[in-house]
Amino acid sequence: MRNLMDACCQRCTHTPASPCSEYLLCRTEGPLCHESKECRQQRKVFIDEVTIPADYPGRQIIVCGGTGCTSSGAANLVDLLNQEILAHNLGNSVQVKKTSCHGFCENGPILHVKPEGIFYTKVKAEDIQDIVVSHLVNQQVVKRLLYQDTSGNSYPYFQDIPFYAGQTRLLLRNCGQINPESLADYLAVGGYRSLVKVLQQMTPDEVIEEVQRSGLRGRGGAGFPTGRKWASARKAAGDVKYIICNADEGDPGAFMDRSLLEGDPHSVLEGMLIAGFAVGSTKGYIYCRAEYPLAIKRLKIAIHQAQQVGLLGSNIMGSGFQFDIVLKEGAGAFVCGEGTALQASIEGLRGMPRVKPPRSTEKGLWEKPTVLNNVETLANIPVLIQTGTEAYRKLGTEKSPGTKIFALSGAVTNPGLVEVPMGQPLREIIFGIGGGIRDGKRFKAAQLGGPSGGCLTEQHLELPVDFDSLTTAGATIGSGGMVVMGEDTCMVDVARFFLAFTQAESCGKCTPCREGTKRMLEILERICQGKADLKDLGDLERLCRVVKNTSLCGLGQACPNPVLSTLQYFREEYLAHIVEKRCPAGVCSSLVRYSIVADHCRGCGLCLKNCPVGAIEGEKKQPHTITAERCIKCGVCLDKCKFGAVLRR
Amino acid sequence: MINNMEVLSLDAKLEELLAKYQDTPGALIPVLQQAQEIYGYLSPELIRSISSRLRIPTSRTYGVATFYSQFHLKPRGRHIIKVCQGTACHVRGGSKLMEILKSYLGAQPGETTEDLKFTLETVACLGACGLAPVVMINDQTVGQLTPEKVLQKITTCE
């Protein structure tokens, strides 16, 4: 046995060509067909290497291989660690393992030492020697590399860091813990058990009933009950049906699906397999956006591994159930996140939505009944089948059971991926887990749901975050992007930003969205430039209503939300731009001027040296000046000046 | 410069690609993606030959190629700089990076410098929001940037 997937001894008859129906369970629970202490022990060794129990005899160092840590320099840490470990003769007792994203990206590169659970942050190449010598050899934790919160407390253990302590990592349980490119790792932590349970003990109707009872709602944004979707596709006439996993996560500020696909791709495949079994489908598609190359790579590996052992293909685990998955790469169009547009794109057409009804569950991909579920929704399926409806419903609220992953970003101290039970108050997420606003600034707003969502303000901080309560406050849970904004964010600029995005991504099929977004954007640009009058504000509000009520698909219907909600809560900022020609936050560059206060300027030349366009002049030790015509208002001089001499107005 | 031998080997790759996909329904997008990988961009001749082999009207192929932001109908530079336009990057100064790059390269988003060295592009959220603001230089995601840092990075490109 070289790894968990191999036969333990000659008594095992499993081959990919003639699979044993007990193969999957046998890998972790086995051997099932014979009794042998030795065979059982072999399995335990491999499983322990993945789960690292507290009494594990050696050590494992996990290096985070997520996009964030990799771009902060984690890639060469693995080699450096291995070199140092060999140099100190620790090769037999210490393993180095690369996993996926831990969700704590800004503190990367992250190193996690198991079994003791010491968590090192911001590790650089030059720290490796210290970690090996003091931690591995001399058993002394390297204190300077521990995570420190803003008040200076340091946290040696992963589970004590407030960012993690406040979370319920149900779907993210494996992210950062297992090797996402290994099927054996997924099996060792209990993977594909739900599939086995479904195939061996349940009928398709029972599966659907279970999902319906769990109350699971689609995590893509609309919150439609998943079980009901499956039931109507099962009832729909036709023998060819499709399951589509919507991995076209396009909302700016949302990256939970990317992390799930990169960190635990098999859990999504397992969800799709169970959906296929329940609905009566034999073919699934994953539509993943091309901007996620690592997710695509990991999915390809996972699909290949599943095919190799007969988890995909015909007669899966001897059950007679047949299912295969095709990976489709998106080509860069936000609108393809909309179900019918996504289907058109798979068919090789321009990704344009169509009028509904008929619903996709009746006539979807190639006119066949189709279930389209989001990545996070599908990742919920194995969990709820395994734990059972009752346990699952204990998390979250009555109408929004389960957990939700949020991509916390923006002006928050700890940006990252956060999983909490539905119904958690907003304050808990932003100030508890997120650690509040960075640089001690004031909280201004949280933008939820990206270009289709709205803003929440201080008055909403106690609001439970679930599908229904957010809608009443003018925001939506959306796909889970949560961008936190501090006092130096201009809300008019934020609205303009989102509208510029939706306007560029509008597919152009229906007039209200195509023309309306353009006119709305023009007005918002005029406001930001200080060229608008009060009539523009009235026109903008009317356009919002028309576009919202008359657009063909969700993109158009929801795109006025960022404008409407900022108008509702920050109307005075709009008025300041329009009436006083002033941007209170000092963001809108047309309304902002940089100047140097001669009395404070020491003539150090730092601003002059750093100005990228040479707009600053002045002799050494003499007050400098900014030439307004050349200034591009990048703010570098303001950031650089040590004497507070640069003024932004 | 690409010599004749190289052109021939590129054409052979295209031939292989078209042979593989010519009877697959819905193959147009993967074919365009892989053809662009071979040639770097989709020239009018390339669009015509793909259309005729897949038996799709050229107008439809052109429609698809212009609909998706991933496809390029003009040659691109040796180094591709993509500035993330995501919300988090915007809130943390992504637009300043864009302003600096525009003035340094003398190119607008979507344009290539005259020496074909750099192409400046925007990209919808890269999902690396924890590192905002982010720029992608070729295949490398670079985060926590400031205007100075991004200029330093691109001056190291050969």
Side-chain angles (χ1 to χ4, degrees), chain A residues 298-332:
Chain A
R298 297 253 160 94
L299 279 170
K300 280 184 184 161
I301 292 172
I303 291 170
H304 178 74
Q305 287 170 339
Q307 285 165 341
Q308 288 286 304
V309 300
L311 273 167
L312 287 173
S314 53
N315 195 16
I316 293 168
M317 297 298 124
S319 64
F321 169 53
Q322 178 190 342
F323 195 73
D324 214 342
I325 294 177
V326 176
L327 179 65
K328 283 270 181 184
E329 286 177 43

Side-chain angles (χ1 to χ4, degrees), chain A residues 195-316:
Chain A
L195 178 69
V196 171
K197 181 175 171 186
V198 162
L199 293 180
Q200 292 183 347
Q201 301 168 21
M202 295 171 89
T203 65
D205 287 322
E206 282 169 354
V207 177
I208 289 178
E209 202 177 305
E210 184 85 7
V211 176
Q212 275 184 321
R213 261 188 299 143
S214 76
L216 174 65
R217 294 168 70 173
R219 299 297 196 242
F224 190 82
T226 307
R228 210 195 298 167
K229 198 184 257 188
W230 288 14
S232 67
R234 177 160 180 81
K235 265 189 243 133
D239 45 359
V240 179
K241 291 172 187 178
Y242 296 106
I243 306 292
I244 299 178
C245 167
N246 184 349
D248 194 48
E249 181 179 55
D251 278 7
F255 53 101
M256 15 321 123
D257 293 351
R258 174 178 68 76
S259 288
L260 274 173
L261 295 171
E262 287 179 7
D264 199 10
H266 280 288
S267 69
V268 180
L269 300 194
E270 188 176 2
M272 286 182 77
L273 275 154
I274 295 171
F277 175 78
V279 169
S281 155
T282 58
K283 191 159 184 182
Y285 286 90
I286 301 178
Y287 187 91
C288 185
R289 69 196 285 248
E291 288 86 342
Y292 288 173
L294 188 59
I296 288 173
K297 181 187 154 203
R298 297 253 160 94
L299 279 170
K300 280 184 184 161
I301 292 172
I303 291 170
H304 178 74
Q305 287 170 339
Q307 285 165 341
Q308 288 286 304
V309 300
L311 273 167
L312 287 173
S314 53
N315 195 16
I316 293 168

Side-chain angles (χ1 to χ4, degrees), chain A residues 155 158-169 424 428 433:
Chain A
Y155 298 86
F158 164 74
Q159 64 272 22
D160 296 339
I161 297 174
F163 178 79
Y164 289 112
Q167 296 191 44
T168 305
R169 289 169 77 90
Q424 197 92 332
E428 188 54 42
I433 299 170

